Amino acid sequence: MQKIVVVLGSIVGFLLIVIAVLYVLEPARSLPQFFPGYSSTLARHHYTHAVAALLLGLGVFAFVWFQSGKKSSKQEKSTHE
């Protein structure tokens, strides 16, 4: 179960960082229509959306890092019982 969480978390974290890069590189009119901040007439970039996506992606990576760490001997004993 824990490996699934680590793999899915890594994928979600990577996707959020890719989304952050898209927000920086593309103006609002060039974003996919399902992205928050899309506007067919707006030519500016959404830097606040980029920062939010980047922070969420880094937060997910931090969560994955803590989930993939070694367990203490107390936790290992309780999970085997």
Side-chain angles (χ1 to χ4, degrees), residues 4-78:
I4 294 171
V5 170
V6 170
V7 170
L8 288 177
S10 298
I11 292 169
V12 169
F14 178 75
L15 287 176
L16 284 168
I17 291 177
V18 168
I19 289 170
V21 170
L22 281 175
Y23 273 122
V24 170
L25 295 179
E26 297 292 330
R29 65 175 173 236
S30 298
L31 293 172
Q33 291 183 356
F34 58 87
F35 271 36
Y38 167 79
S39 175
S40 61
T41 59
L42 200 57
R44 67 181 185 93
H45 296 270
H46 285 292
Y47 295 112
T48 53
H49 287 83
V51 170
L54 179 66
L55 291 177
L56 282 172
L58 292 176
V60 170
F61 278 137
F63 171 76
V64 167
W65 182 25
F66 285 118
Q67 289 296 313
S68 65
K70 291 184 180 181
K71 300 284 186 210
S72 68
S73 59
K74 251 186 190 178
Q75 288 177 339
E76 287 177 0
K77 288 179 184 177
S78 66

